[in-house]
Amino acid sequence: LVTHEDFEDIAQRTPGLDIGRVEVLSLFHPDKFDATNPSEQFPGVVTVLVIPQQGIEAPDPPVPDRLFLDAVCRWLDPRRLITTELHIRGPQYVPIWVSIAVTTMPGEVRSLVHKRVREAIRAYLSPLVGGVPMLNEDGEMAGSGWPLGMEIRRQDLEAVAVRVDGVRYVTGIKLGIQSPAGAMNDVAEKQIVGLQLPWLS
């Protein structure tokens, strides 16, 4: 195990596990990461983020349990360079709330359009199929999971909603996050750092 591709390929082939996503972060220490200094590097450290495969309709976020993480660790550990400090982790989910008001095209069933908007926003924020759609190897446009370090922006959510079939335009949008005190705040964007990923609550 030397390159990012080595780690990703071998981790994906961990026996007995259905892994939906692997991210490799070199020089990143999950226990020493400081959000106020996100560019700090830790020589010799490699962190592998793993997420179990899960359907997009699941009500809870895909979280690897201890047995899952241990299996990946046992599979990768004997293959690493002796000088590599290896960490296997799952994501840290950041709960967010989105409220979108739309005007539908004439003749459309509003409840169906609203359902399509909800599905589109959930897919866009998904840790497994979210993010900006790219052309995949099957020639289809699809995301590969919300990118690490990419902020969530109201404007992007609006752009996703307005592309949904049956939507004429968006009349209002709110992006909610929970403050440390437990209050709900409406924000224009939410920064995502370290091993954080959004989860639509």
Side-chain angles (χ1 to χ4, degrees):
L1 293 170
V2 179
T3 68
H4 279 210
E5 290 76 16
D6 293 338
F7 278 96
E8 289 178 10
D9 182 55
I10 298 298
Q12 284 280 7
R13 292 191 276 133
T14 303
L17 299 183
D18 190 7
I19 299 180
R21 177 179 174 184
V22 175
E23 292 280 350
V24 179
L25 298 85
S26 57
L27 309 178
F28 178 91
H29 198 302
D31 300 325
K32 298 180 181 178
F33 174 74
D34 183 357
T36 63
N37 184 21
S39 60
E40 185 176 8
Q41 297 183 342
F42 299 88
V45 177
V46 174
T47 296
V48 179
L49 171 73
V50 290
I51 304 177
Q53 187 62 266
Q54 177 177 285
I56 194 171
E57 71 284 347
D60 299 314
V63 178
D65 60 19
R66 176 51 56 189
L67 292 176
F68 192 103
L69 295 174
D70 287 347
V72 177
C73 187
R74 288 194 304 271
W75 180 248
L76 294 181
D77 188 57
R79 294 167 171 81
R80 67 177 173 86
L81 296 175
I82 193 66
T83 54
T84 300
E85 181 182 338
L86 184 62
H87 297 268
I88 314 298
R89 292 289 191 276
Q92 300 165 355
Y93 288 106
V94 177
I96 66 168
W97 291 262
V98 177
S99 176
I100 301 176
V102 300
T103 295
T104 58
M105 292 287 191
E108 292 282 350
V109 179
R110 291 177 59 192
S111 60
L112 294 180
V113 175
H114 293 170
K115 181 175 182 289
R116 290 198 290 263
V117 170
R118 285 194 298 271
E119 291 172 348
I121 295 296
R122 182 168 293 280
Y124 177 65
L125 295 170
S126 165
L128 295 174
V129 299
V132 179
M134 307 277 289
L135 197 63
N136 63 21
E137 56 189 24
D138 298 324
E140 301 173 343
M141 296 297 290
S144 57
W146 190 267
L148 294 174
M150 188 172 94
E151 75 278 7
I152 306 159
R153 299 167 58 90
R154 251 199 236 134
Q155 295 97 319
D156 293 333
L157 298 172
E158 181 176 355
V160 171
V162 82
R163 289 196 296 266
V164 172
D165 287 343
V167 173
R168 185 179 175 194
Y169 55 84
V170 174
T171 58
I173 182 167
K174 292 183 177 181
L175 171 60
I177 62 168
Q178 195 167 22
S179 71
M184 187 67 65
N185 295 329
D186 179 25
V187 298
E189 66 178 62
K190 169 61 179 171
Q191 294 296 322
I192 297 293
V193 297
L195 299 179
Q196 291 181 342
L197 288 172
W199 180 255
L200 189 62
S201 297

